[in-house]
Amino acid sequence: MRTTRFRKLLVAAVALLTASGALPAAAAQQQGRQEHPSHGGLSAVIRYTEYGIPHIVAKDYADLGFGTGWAQAADQVCTLADGFVTVSGERSRWFGADAAPDSSLSSATTNLSSDLFFRGVRQSGTVEKLLAEPAPRGPSRAVKDLTRGFAAGYNAWLRHNRITDPACRGAAWVRPVTELDVAARAFALSVLGGQGRAVDGIAAAQPPTAPAPSKASGAPDAHRAAEAARELFAADDADMGSNAVAFSGATTANGRGLLLGNPHYPWQGGRRFWQSQQTIPGKLNVAGGSLLGSATISIGHNEHIAWSHTVATGVTLSLHQLTLDPSDPTVYLVDGVRERMTKRAVTVQVKDGAPVTRTQWWTRYGPVVTSLGASLPLPWTATAAYALNDPNAANLRASDTALGFSTARSTAGVLASLRRTQGLPWVNTIAADSSGHSLFTQSQVLPRVTDELAQRCSTALGKVTYPGSGLAVLDGSRGDCALGSDPDAVQPGIFGPARMPVLKDAPYAENSNDSAWLANAERPLTGYERIFGTIGTQRTMRTRGAIEDVSAMARRGG
């Protein structure tokens, strides 16, 4: 009975993957149509098939980006334009300070909070610095060409077409974009689980105006904080939850690998998938779903390999509890030496109102933050404050990882891309290839918090939050509590590929947003640090049901 239900899920999930990337009803009428957009020396051929799915053919990566930007604008110009307003920090200017964004690019609860964060990113030149990094730490030439082409294709569509969608028809906020705008959107996706989770807390962080009555009066309740952290970082409960299964050739009728991708992503808004095929003859031929605004395929397949993602349990941020100078709450101590916080004044234009200027406070660890959502306050008192470390704020490599998948010829090629680029911020990867190999790996960019470091350096709060949720709260007053580096890591302060959970060539590999431990119940993964997820704890009902069904199917074979 259970297996029958899972077989029905297989059919439904494949339909969901197709439908979630499907285009508006009007696009279904485009079947058989072919376009040849060109502008400024860039061009592509776009052929539309059933359900209006675009097949984009180009001679190089810049042209492929051009065709992708054109086709995405044709299908979703209003949603894209709304996202570009977000990452430029201008939502308050166009939509009002108190209205709420759609949460596709951050957790901000108001436009003003969102703008303060993204304007701060712009003013600090964060994305420009990442674009200037040489590969593999920064984007490759191919990804830069895709990004440049995407912006040009989006702009060319705006120039040559009239918007009919009432959501943004005639709107002054729909305007041409730059390569920086497209890269800023990629940055927003990268930090969704870190700085993006704490936008309100970063924007609201201000030093206390008067000393607290006692040292403990402003401290968060440790047990309430631990429970809030467990709920906050429970990937199974997240709106972004997904399932994925890879079967090896030992279990299938034709001896080839078989993949089920069942991503539970929104049907509307800026975090939806967009389906296409991308081809550069002799170099690239891949089909699947892209995150809207991305020029690469996020989940998909080529002739040799298919892959999917699920939201991982790894905690993509760490907190550092600062010991403040009693005479100045904007000065903190490290090994007894005073360090002054960096002050960043950010100004936001507001519709029908005066501009709003707020100060953000930054430390060697990252921004000062006063909450991780409403349920996890982190008060800034006269004696203590919390700084947020997000290693994905230095990661603009996810597009290179995806491009590596798109050109891979095997699961080994997928692993090679992950090891070379180290660009995935908050997902697992599940893959199968035409030679019969299967793969599961939790290869993501995480703060290099080992269990030993957490044992040695956790504050009183961290001693409660880390075991329960993987959220580290480290003593920021001690230099010996720095995260350190792995020799195979592409950037300092993250785990290298050798520390990632990997399962190769198991009869099946399954994940439903649980930790890596039971990707295959007969070959459990162990030995990874708590920040990756749990080992030896009760699995969710979704994981347990899936493993029962999938393992039975693998044993039967065929």
Side-chain angles (χ1 to χ4, degrees), residues 67-89:
T68 303
W70 175 286
Q72 285 198 22
D75 297 334
Q76 293 289 321
V77 65
C78 293
T79 304
L80 284 166
D82 184 271
F84 288 128
V85 170
T86 297
V87 297
S88 64

Side-chain angles (χ1 to χ4, degrees), residues 506-528:
Y508 72 87
E510 190 281 334
N511 188 265
S512 297
N513 307 124
D514 247 322
S515 72
W517 176 46
L518 292 187
N520 182 291
E522 288 75 41
R523 290 174 55 181
L525 293 170
T526 60
Y528 49 86

Side-chain angles (χ1 to χ4, degrees), residues 208-219 380-383:
T209 55
S214 69
K215 183 173 183 177
S217 64
W380 186 349
T381 70
T383 56

Side-chain angles (χ1 to χ4, degrees), residues 39 42 65-66 69-70 147-157 159 177:
H39 189 87
L42 296 174
F66 178 86
W70 175 286
T147 303
R148 174 172 58 86
F150 188 99
Y154 177 89
N155 294 340
W157 188 90
R159 190 176 294 110
V177 299

Side-chain angles (χ1 to χ4, degrees), residues 190-350:
S190 187
V191 300
L192 267 177
Q195 290 182 7
R197 191 191 292 272
V199 166
D200 287 348
I202 294 170
Q206 295 300 315
T209 55
S214 69
K215 183 173 183 177
S217 64
D221 179 273
H223 293 289
R224 287 182 182 177
E227 181 59 33
R230 272 194 296 271
E231 294 180 4
L232 189 64
F233 294 102
D236 182 65
D237 294 330
D239 293 337
M240 297 188 295
S242 304
N243 306 292
V245 183
F247 289 102
S248 77
T251 73
T252 62
N254 62 5
R256 298 188 176 198
L258 176 67
L259 179 82
L260 163 69
N262 177 213
H264 293 178
Y265 249 51
W267 293 79
Q268 292 89 24
R271 203 180 286 176
R272 53 157 291 178
F273 281 114
W274 181 82
Q275 189 171 351
S276 71
Q277 180 181 7
Q278 296 182 325
T279 303
I280 300 175
K283 184 178 291 186
L284 173 76
N285 189 18
V286 61
S290 305
L291 289 177
L292 198 62
S294 302
T296 53
I297 299 293
S298 306
I299 289 177
H301 72 278
N302 60 30
E303 182 183 0
H304 305 283
I305 181 78
W307 75 95
S308 192
H309 296 300
T310 58
V311 176
T313 55
V315 178
T316 57
L317 62 90
S318 58
L319 294 173
H320 298 257
Q321 187 169 325
L322 308 176
T323 299
L324 304 180
D325 185 327
S327 64
D328 188 342
T330 65
V331 173
Y332 59 103
L333 306 176
V334 180
D335 294 333
V337 178
R338 301 170 81 254
E339 288 192 19
R340 185 166 294 281
M341 296 176 187
T342 301
K343 188 176 180 180
R344 296 183 182 175
V346 180
T347 299
V348 169
Q349 301 297 317
V350 176

Side-chain angles (χ1 to χ4, degrees), residues 114-152:
S114 174
D115 290 341
L116 288 167
F117 174 73
F118 284 109
R119 286 305 303 169
V121 171
R122 284 295 172 103
Q123 290 179 199
S124 64
T126 299
V127 178
E128 293 94 325
K129 293 171 187 174
L130 295 178
L131 287 170
E133 289 274 8
R137 187 164 176 176
S140 67
R141 170 48 56 191
V143 165
K144 288 181 179 178
D145 286 346
L146 279 167
T147 303
R148 174 172 58 86
F150 188 99

